[in-house]
Amino acid sequence: MVHWEAHACLPLHPQADFAPLDRLHAAGVNYVSINIGMDMNPLAQVMSVIGGFRRTIAAHPDRYVLASSVNDIERAATDGILAVGFDLEGAMPLLEQPAMVALYRDLGVRQMHFAYNRNNSVAGGCHDDERGLTALGRRMVTAVNAAGVLMDCSHTGRRCSLEIMAASAKPVIFSHSNPLALVLHGRNVTDEQIRACAATGGVVCVSGVSGFLGTRTPTADDVARHAAYVARLVGVEHAGIGLDISFHQHGLDDTPPGNFDATWWWPKSAGYDRSISPMTYTPVETWQALASALQRAGMTSDEAALVMGGNMLRVARRVW
Ligand SMILES: [Zn+2]
């Protein structure tokens, strides 16, 4: 049984320590997708992060493999090492060129968003004026499908995510998004979005972030409750896990250069008022508690295994 963690964040710095990934592995995770850049990060930062992360993975073949196939993940699970993939959160580092999608794929990027909270020339963000997929965005969807990269609609605007899912010839995922019906937050997704994702054959992976779960100290039971909502709405084969733990590391500043304005990317009005809704993360040990928590939420052990990895394996097998 493979456990699939659809999204985690190390510092966006080439020297980032992979020790937190070792902790995820020890907690039972077999594959983890880690962020290598968002729309706010300049290309120089994104490239140096990819270079640094690739060097760390290559230096420890006894601990990590940069996965390019489901077979790589299954082999890593058998060998007791952690399979890693990269994800890109936003289309701005694609420089408006569909050909860049396959280049990122060759560098290890296995899943891709088109917008990070704000609108760009490709797509609409979830914390901006509602806008659809642009003409360039449609060409980008085709490029993502052709490159064998997972199309990811977390952080994307509602209308735009529906248009991406309608345009995609392959299953689409939400790698870290929670049901809006359970918690009113601008980052959470509507039942319509969840149904559209399921209609592509995709998976909605629920996060373990406090503000999106609607609890100050999130636990495995909170995550399980959100996964169970998705399962009840569209079927257990469309629910997954992307805890979205951000592993900050002392001394590694990954703030984008220049006059970086965090309130532009994470506006208070969208639900990021930390006095009301502080952002804390479930611990990595959540992975050890998830199987029983999902069963307490009404699933069988086989259904829990689908949510913890089987569903994303199925999708990756079709898309990669
Ligand atoms: Zn994210």
mmCIF file with all atom_site columns, all heavy atoms in Angstrom, residues 191-213:
data_model
loop_
_atom_site.group_PDB
_atom_site.id
_atom_site.type_symbol
_atom_site.label_atom_id
_atom_site.label_alt_id
_atom_site.label_comp_id
_atom_site.label_asym_id
_atom_site.label_entity_id
_atom_site.label_seq_id
_atom_site.pdbx_PDB_ins_code
_atom_site.Cartn_x
_atom_site.Cartn_y
_atom_site.Cartn_z
_atom_site.occupancy
_atom_site.B_iso_or_equiv
_atom_site.pdbx_formal_charge
_atom_site.auth_seq_id
_atom_site.auth_comp_id
_atom_site.auth_asym_id
_atom_site.auth_atom_id
_atom_site.pdbx_PDB_model_num
ATOM 1   N N   . ASP A 1 191 ? -18.990 22.520 -3.926  1.00 0.00 ? 191 ASP A N   1
ATOM 2   C CA  . ASP A 1 191 ? -19.443 21.189 -4.347  1.00 0.00 ? 191 ASP A CA  1
ATOM 3   C C   . ASP A 1 191 ? -19.384 21.057 -5.868  1.00 0.00 ? 191 ASP A C   1
ATOM 4   O O   . ASP A 1 191 ? -19.072 19.990 -6.397  1.00 0.00 ? 191 ASP A O   1
ATOM 5   C CB  . ASP A 1 191 ? -20.881 20.937 -3.864  1.00 0.00 ? 191 ASP A CB  1
ATOM 6   C CG  . ASP A 1 191 ? -20.962 20.719 -2.356  1.00 0.00 ? 191 ASP A CG  1
ATOM 7   O OD1 . ASP A 1 191 ? -19.895 20.753 -1.686  1.00 0.00 ? 191 ASP A OD1 1
ATOM 8   O OD2 . ASP A 1 191 ? -22.084 20.514 -1.849  1.00 0.00 ? 191 ASP A OD2 1
ATOM 9   N N   . GLU A 1 192 ? -19.689 22.162 -6.578  1.00 0.00 ? 192 GLU A N   1
ATOM 10  C CA  . GLU A 1 192 ? -19.641 22.133 -8.045  1.00 0.00 ? 192 GLU A CA  1
ATOM 11  C C   . GLU A 1 192 ? -18.218 21.821 -8.525  1.00 0.00 ? 192 GLU A C   1
ATOM 12  O O   . GLU A 1 192 ? -18.023 21.021 -9.453  1.00 0.00 ? 192 GLU A O   1
ATOM 13  C CB  . GLU A 1 192 ? -20.097 23.492 -8.602  1.00 0.00 ? 192 GLU A CB  1
ATOM 14  C CG  . GLU A 1 192 ? -20.156 23.537 -10.131 1.00 0.00 ? 192 GLU A CG  1
ATOM 15  C CD  . GLU A 1 192 ? -20.508 24.922 -10.668 1.00 0.00 ? 192 GLU A CD  1
ATOM 16  O OE1 . GLU A 1 192 ? -20.345 25.917 -9.930  1.00 0.00 ? 192 GLU A OE1 1
ATOM 17  O OE2 . GLU A 1 192 ? -20.944 25.003 -11.836 1.00 0.00 ? 192 GLU A OE2 1
ATOM 18  N N   . GLN A 1 193 ? -17.212 22.443 -7.890  1.00 0.00 ? 193 GLN A N   1
ATOM 19  C CA  . GLN A 1 193 ? -15.813 22.167 -8.263  1.00 0.00 ? 193 GLN A CA  1
ATOM 20  C C   . GLN A 1 193 ? -15.435 20.719 -7.947  1.00 0.00 ? 193 GLN A C   1
ATOM 21  O O   . GLN A 1 193 ? -14.736 20.065 -8.721  1.00 0.00 ? 193 GLN A O   1
ATOM 22  C CB  . GLN A 1 193 ? -14.857 23.114 -7.520  1.00 0.00 ? 193 GLN A CB  1
ATOM 23  C CG  . GLN A 1 193 ? -14.883 24.549 -8.031  1.00 0.00 ? 193 GLN A CG  1
ATOM 24  C CD  . GLN A 1 193 ? -14.070 25.469 -7.142  1.00 0.00 ? 193 GLN A CD  1
ATOM 25  O OE1 . GLN A 1 193 ? -14.425 25.730 -6.004  1.00 0.00 ? 193 GLN A OE1 1
ATOM 26  N NE2 . GLN A 1 193 ? -12.943 25.955 -7.651  1.00 0.00 ? 193 GLN A NE2 1
ATOM 27  N N   . ILE A 1 194 ? -15.894 20.224 -6.794  1.00 0.00 ? 194 ILE A N   1
ATOM 28  C CA  . ILE A 1 194 ? -15.569 18.846 -6.400  1.00 0.00 ? 194 ILE A CA  1
ATOM 29  C C   . ILE A 1 194 ? -16.209 17.857 -7.387  1.00 0.00 ? 194 ILE A C   1
ATOM 30  O O   . ILE A 1 194 ? -15.575 16.894 -7.825  1.00 0.00 ? 194 ILE A O   1
ATOM 31  C CB  . ILE A 1 194 ? -16.035 18.571 -4.951  1.00 0.00 ? 194 ILE A CB  1
ATOM 32  C CG1 . ILE A 1 194 ? -15.258 19.465 -3.965  1.00 0.00 ? 194 ILE A CG1 1
ATOM 33  C CG2 . ILE A 1 194 ? -15.859 17.092 -4.597  1.00 0.00 ? 194 ILE A CG2 1
ATOM 34  C CD1 . ILE A 1 194 ? -15.805 19.461 -2.545  1.00 0.00 ? 194 ILE A CD1 1
ATOM 35  N N   . ARG A 1 195 ? -17.463 18.145 -7.782  1.00 0.00 ? 195 ARG A N   1
ATOM 36  C CA  . ARG A 1 195 ? -18.138 17.266 -8.753  1.00 0.00 ? 195 ARG A CA  1
ATOM 37  C C   . ARG A 1 195 ? -17.434 17.305 -10.109 1.00 0.00 ? 195 ARG A C   1
ATOM 38  O O   . ARG A 1 195 ? -17.272 16.273 -10.771 1.00 0.00 ? 195 ARG A O   1
ATOM 39  C CB  . ARG A 1 195 ? -19.608 17.684 -8.924  1.00 0.00 ? 195 ARG A CB  1
ATOM 40  C CG  . ARG A 1 195 ? -20.485 17.312 -7.742  1.00 0.00 ? 195 ARG A CG  1
ATOM 41  C CD  . ARG A 1 195 ? -21.978 17.371 -8.108  1.00 0.00 ? 195 ARG A CD  1
ATOM 42  N NE  . ARG A 1 195 ? -22.799 17.063 -6.941  1.00 0.00 ? 195 ARG A NE  1
ATOM 43  C CZ  . ARG A 1 195 ? -23.336 18.004 -6.144  1.00 0.00 ? 195 ARG A CZ  1
ATOM 44  N NH1 . ARG A 1 195 ? -23.168 19.284 -6.419  1.00 0.00 ? 195 ARG A NH1 1
ATOM 45  N NH2 . ARG A 1 195 ? -24.045 17.645 -5.087  1.00 0.00 ? 195 ARG A NH2 1
ATOM 46  N N   . ALA A 1 196 ? -17.004 18.498 -10.518 1.00 0.00 ? 196 ALA A N   1
ATOM 47  C CA  . ALA A 1 196 ? -16.318 18.625 -11.813 1.00 0.00 ? 196 ALA A CA  1
ATOM 48  C C   . ALA A 1 196 ? -14.992 17.873 -11.795 1.00 0.00 ? 196 ALA A C   1
ATOM 49  O O   . ALA A 1 196 ? -14.611 17.238 -12.784 1.00 0.00 ? 196 ALA A O   1
ATOM 50  C CB  . ALA A 1 196 ? -16.091 20.097 -12.137 1.00 0.00 ? 196 ALA A CB  1
ATOM 51  N N   . CYS A 1 197 ? -14.292 17.928 -10.668 1.00 0.00 ? 197 CYS A N   1
ATOM 52  C CA  . CYS A 1 197 ? -13.016 17.204 -10.529 1.00 0.00 ? 197 CYS A CA  1
ATOM 53  C C   . CYS A 1 197 ? -13.258 15.701 -10.651 1.00 0.00 ? 197 CYS A C   1
ATOM 54  O O   . CYS A 1 197 ? -12.552 15.004 -11.392 1.00 0.00 ? 197 CYS A O   1
ATOM 55  C CB  . CYS A 1 197 ? -12.383 17.549 -9.178  1.00 0.00 ? 197 CYS A CB  1
ATOM 56  S SG  . CYS A 1 197 ? -10.880 16.634 -8.822  1.00 0.00 ? 197 CYS A SG  1
ATOM 57  N N   . ALA A 1 198 ? -14.272 15.221 -9.950  1.00 0.00 ? 198 ALA A N   1
ATOM 58  C CA  . ALA A 1 198 ? -14.595 13.783 -10.011 1.00 0.00 ? 198 ALA A CA  1
ATOM 59  C C   . ALA A 1 198 ? -14.966 13.381 -11.431 1.00 0.00 ? 198 ALA A C   1
ATOM 60  O O   . ALA A 1 198 ? -14.603 12.293 -11.893 1.00 0.00 ? 198 ALA A O   1
ATOM 61  C CB  . ALA A 1 198 ? -15.731 13.459 -9.036  1.00 0.00 ? 198 ALA A CB  1
ATOM 62  N N   . ALA A 1 199 ? -15.654 14.273 -12.142 1.00 0.00 ? 199 ALA A N   1
ATOM 63  C CA  . ALA A 1 199 ? -16.077 13.957 -13.516 1.00 0.00 ? 199 ALA A CA  1
ATOM 64  C C   . ALA A 1 199 ? -14.883 13.786 -14.452 1.00 0.00 ? 199 ALA A C   1
ATOM 65  O O   . ALA A 1 199 ? -14.981 13.110 -15.472 1.00 0.00 ? 199 ALA A O   1
ATOM 66  C CB  . ALA A 1 199 ? -17.014 15.056 -14.043 1.00 0.00 ? 199 ALA A CB  1
ATOM 67  N N   . THR A 1 200 ? -13.738 14.399 -14.113 1.00 0.00 ? 200 THR A N   1
ATOM 68  C CA  . THR A 1 200 ? -12.528 14.192 -14.930 1.00 0.00 ? 200 THR A CA  1
ATOM 69  C C   . THR A 1 200 ? -11.837 12.871 -14.562 1.00 0.00 ? 200 THR A C   1
ATOM 70  O O   . THR A 1 200 ? -10.858 12.494 -15.198 1.00 0.00 ? 200 THR A O   1
ATOM 71  C CB  . THR A 1 200 ? -11.489 15.330 -14.730 1.00 0.00 ? 200 THR A CB  1
ATOM 72  O OG1 . THR A 1 200 ? -10.900 15.218 -13.420 1.00 0.00 ? 200 THR A OG1 1
ATOM 73  C CG2 . THR A 1 200 ? -12.090 16.702 -14.918 1.00 0.00 ? 200 THR A CG2 1
ATOM 74  N N   . GLY A 1 201 ? -12.315 12.232 -13.495 1.00 0.00 ? 201 GLY A N   1
ATOM 75  C CA  . GLY A 1 201 ? -11.635 11.043 -12.974 1.00 0.00 ? 201 GLY A CA  1
ATOM 76  C C   . GLY A 1 201 ? -10.602 11.402 -11.918 1.00 0.00 ? 201 GLY A C   1
ATOM 77  O O   . GLY A 1 201 ? -9.827  10.554 -11.484 1.00 0.00 ? 201 GLY A O   1
ATOM 78  N N   . GLY A 1 202 ? -10.585 12.676 -11.505 1.00 0.00 ? 202 GLY A N   1
ATOM 79  C CA  . GLY A 1 202 ? -9.547  13.182 -10.609 1.00 0.00 ? 202 GLY A CA  1
ATOM 80  C C   . GLY A 1 202 ? -9.825  12.985 -9.132  1.00 0.00 ? 202 GLY A C   1
ATOM 81  O O   . GLY A 1 202 ? -10.754 12.273 -8.733  1.00 0.00 ? 202 GLY A O   1
ATOM 82  N N   . VAL A 1 203 ? -8.998  13.655 -8.306  1.00 0.00 ? 203 VAL A N   1
ATOM 83  C CA  . VAL A 1 203 ? -9.015  13.479 -6.857  1.00 0.00 ? 203 VAL A CA  1
ATOM 84  C C   . VAL A 1 203 ? -8.913  14.852 -6.183  1.00 0.00 ? 203 VAL A C   1
ATOM 85  O O   . VAL A 1 203 ? -8.117  15.691 -6.612  1.00 0.00 ? 203 VAL A O   1
ATOM 86  C CB  . VAL A 1 203 ? -7.822  12.599 -6.404  1.00 0.00 ? 203 VAL A CB  1
ATOM 87  C CG1 . VAL A 1 203 ? -7.755  12.497 -4.879  1.00 0.00 ? 203 VAL A CG1 1
ATOM 88  C CG2 . VAL A 1 203 ? -7.925  11.199 -7.015  1.00 0.00 ? 203 VAL A CG2 1
ATOM 89  N N   . VAL A 1 204 ? -9.738  15.064 -5.148  1.00 0.00 ? 204 VAL A N   1
ATOM 90  C CA  . VAL A 1 204 ? -9.612  16.243 -4.294  1.00 0.00 ? 204 VAL A CA  1
ATOM 91  C C   . VAL A 1 204 ? -8.859  15.818 -3.035  1.00 0.00 ? 204 VAL A C   1
ATOM 92  O O   . VAL A 1 204 ? -9.372  15.032 -2.233  1.00 0.00 ? 204 VAL A O   1
ATOM 93  C CB  . VAL A 1 204 ? -10.993 16.822 -3.914  1.00 0.00 ? 204 VAL A CB  1
ATOM 94  C CG1 . VAL A 1 204 ? -10.827 18.003 -2.957  1.00 0.00 ? 204 VAL A CG1 1
ATOM 95  C CG2 . VAL A 1 204 ? -11.764 17.239 -5.159  1.00 0.00 ? 204 VAL A CG2 1
ATOM 96  N N   . CYS A 1 205 ? -7.616  16.299 -2.893  1.00 0.00 ? 205 CYS A N   1
ATOM 97  C CA  . CYS A 1 205 ? -6.799  15.978 -1.723  1.00 0.00 ? 205 CYS A CA  1
ATOM 98  C C   . CYS A 1 205 ? -7.012  17.071 -0.684  1.00 0.00 ? 205 CYS A C   1
ATOM 99  O O   . CYS A 1 205 ? -6.804  18.249 -0.987  1.00 0.00 ? 205 CYS A O   1
ATOM 100 C CB  . CYS A 1 205 ? -5.326  15.903 -2.114  1.00 0.00 ? 205 CYS A CB  1
ATOM 101 S SG  . CYS A 1 205 ? -4.987  14.668 -3.391  1.00 0.00 ? 205 CYS A SG  1
ATOM 102 N N   . VAL A 1 206 ? -7.416  16.690 0.518   1.00 0.00 ? 206 VAL A N   1
ATOM 103 C CA  . VAL A 1 206 ? -7.732  17.692 1.533   1.00 0.00 ? 206 VAL A CA  1
ATOM 104 C C   . VAL A 1 206 ? -6.494  18.026 2.348   1.00 0.00 ? 206 VAL A C   1
ATOM 105 O O   . VAL A 1 206 ? -5.636  17.192 2.594   1.00 0.00 ? 206 VAL A O   1
ATOM 106 C CB  . VAL A 1 206 ? -8.895  17.251 2.458   1.00 0.00 ? 206 VAL A CB  1
ATOM 107 C CG1 . VAL A 1 206 ? -10.174 17.085 1.649   1.00 0.00 ? 206 VAL A CG1 1
ATOM 108 C CG2 . VAL A 1 206 ? -8.568  15.987 3.220   1.00 0.00 ? 206 VAL A CG2 1
ATOM 109 N N   . SER A 1 207 ? -6.417  19.302 2.746   1.00 0.00 ? 207 SER A N   1
ATOM 110 C CA  . SER A 1 207 ? -5.242  19.796 3.462   1.00 0.00 ? 207 SER A CA  1
ATOM 111 C C   . SER A 1 207 ? -5.420  19.636 4.971   1.00 0.00 ? 207 SER A C   1
ATOM 112 O O   . SER A 1 207 ? -6.511  19.352 5.460   1.00 0.00 ? 207 SER A O   1
ATOM 113 C CB  . SER A 1 207 ? -4.995  21.272 3.123   1.00 0.00 ? 207 SER A CB  1
ATOM 114 O OG  . SER A 1 207 ? -5.678  22.116 4.037   1.00 0.00 ? 207 SER A OG  1
ATOM 115 N N   . GLY A 1 208 ? -4.316  19.859 5.674   1.00 0.00 ? 208 GLY A N   1
ATOM 116 C CA  . GLY A 1 208 ? -4.337  19.804 7.138   1.00 0.00 ? 208 GLY A CA  1
ATOM 117 C C   . GLY A 1 208 ? -4.080  21.162 7.747   1.00 0.00 ? 208 GLY A C   1
ATOM 118 O O   . GLY A 1 208 ? -3.630  21.256 8.893   1.00 0.00 ? 208 GLY A O   1
ATOM 119 N N   . VAL A 1 209 ? -4.378  22.224 6.986   1.00 0.00 ? 209 VAL A N   1
ATOM 120 C CA  . VAL A 1 209 ? -4.111  23.583 7.454   1.00 0.00 ? 209 VAL A CA  1
ATOM 121 C C   . VAL A 1 209 ? -5.305  24.077 8.281   1.00 0.00 ? 209 VAL A C   1
ATOM 122 O O   . VAL A 1 209 ? -6.454  23.964 7.849   1.00 0.00 ? 209 VAL A O   1
ATOM 123 C CB  . VAL A 1 209 ? -3.852  24.522 6.257   1.00 0.00 ? 209 VAL A CB  1
ATOM 124 C CG1 . VAL A 1 209 ? -3.590  25.943 6.728   1.00 0.00 ? 209 VAL A CG1 1
ATOM 125 C CG2 . VAL A 1 209 ? -2.690  24.015 5.418   1.00 0.00 ? 209 VAL A CG2 1
ATOM 126 N N   . SER A 1 210 ? -4.996  24.646 9.437   1.00 0.00 ? 210 SER A N   1
ATOM 127 C CA  . SER A 1 210 ? -6.041  25.000 10.402  1.00 0.00 ? 210 SER A CA  1
ATOM 128 C C   . SER A 1 210 ? -7.140  25.886 9.817   1.00 0.00 ? 210 SER A C   1
ATOM 129 O O   . SER A 1 210 ? -8.327  25.597 9.985   1.00 0.00 ? 210 SER A O   1
ATOM 130 C CB  . SER A 1 210 ? -5.409  25.685 11.613  1.00 0.00 ? 210 SER A CB  1
ATOM 131 O OG  . SER A 1 210 ? -4.705  26.842 11.188  1.00 0.00 ? 210 SER A OG  1
ATOM 132 N N   . GLY A 1 211 ? -6.741  26.954 9.105   1.00 0.00 ? 211 GLY A N   1
ATOM 133 C CA  . GLY A 1 211 ? -7.728  27.912 8.601   1.00 0.00 ? 211 GLY A CA  1
ATOM 134 C C   . GLY A 1 211 ? -8.688  27.298 7.598   1.00 0.00 ? 211 GLY A C   1
ATOM 135 O O   . GLY A 1 211 ? -9.846  27.693 7.513   1.00 0.00 ? 211 GLY A O   1
ATOM 136 N N   . PHE A 1 212 ? -8.200  26.323 6.831   1.00 0.00 ? 212 PHE A N   1
ATOM 137 C CA  . PHE A 1 212 ? -9.049  25.673 5.829   1.00 0.00 ? 212 PHE A CA  1
ATOM 138 C C   . PHE A 1 212 ? -9.895  24.555 6.452   1.00 0.00 ? 212 PHE A C   1
ATOM 139 O O   . PHE A 1 212 ? -10.945 24.183 5.916   1.00 0.00 ? 212 PHE A O   1
ATOM 140 C CB  . PHE A 1 212 ? -8.217  25.107 4.680   1.00 0.00 ? 212 PHE A CB  1
ATOM 141 C CG  . PHE A 1 212 ? -7.222  26.092 4.097   1.00 0.00 ? 212 PHE A CG  1
ATOM 142 C CD1 . PHE A 1 212 ? -5.978  25.676 3.643   1.00 0.00 ? 212 PHE A CD1 1
ATOM 143 C CD2 . PHE A 1 212 ? -7.534  27.451 4.001   1.00 0.00 ? 212 PHE A CD2 1
ATOM 144 C CE1 . PHE A 1 212 ? -5.059  26.582 3.112   1.00 0.00 ? 212 PHE A CE1 1
ATOM 145 C CE2 . PHE A 1 212 ? -6.621  28.371 3.475   1.00 0.00 ? 212 PHE A CE2 1
ATOM 146 C CZ  . PHE A 1 212 ? -5.387  27.929 3.030   1.00 0.00 ? 212 PHE A CZ  1
ATOM 147 N N   . LEU A 1 213 ? -9.407  24.016 7.589   1.00 0.00 ? 213 LEU A N   1
ATOM 148 C CA  . LEU A 1 213 ? -10.150 22.954 8.281   1.00 0.00 ? 213 LEU A CA  1
ATOM 149 C C   . LEU A 1 213 ? -11.138 23.521 9.287   1.00 0.00 ? 213 LEU A C   1
ATOM 150 O O   . LEU A 1 213 ? -12.015 22.808 9.780   1.00 0.00 ? 213 LEU A O   1
ATOM 151 C CB  . LEU A 1 213 ? -9.183  22.032 9.039   1.00 0.00 ? 213 LEU A CB  1
ATOM 152 C CG  . LEU A 1 213 ? -8.401  21.014 8.214   1.00 0.00 ? 213 LEU A CG  1
ATOM 153 C CD1 . LEU A 1 213 ? -7.341  20.347 9.100   1.00 0.00 ? 213 LEU A CD1 1
ATOM 154 C CD2 . LEU A 1 213 ? -9.322  19.951 7.628   1.00 0.00 ? 213 LEU A CD2 1
#
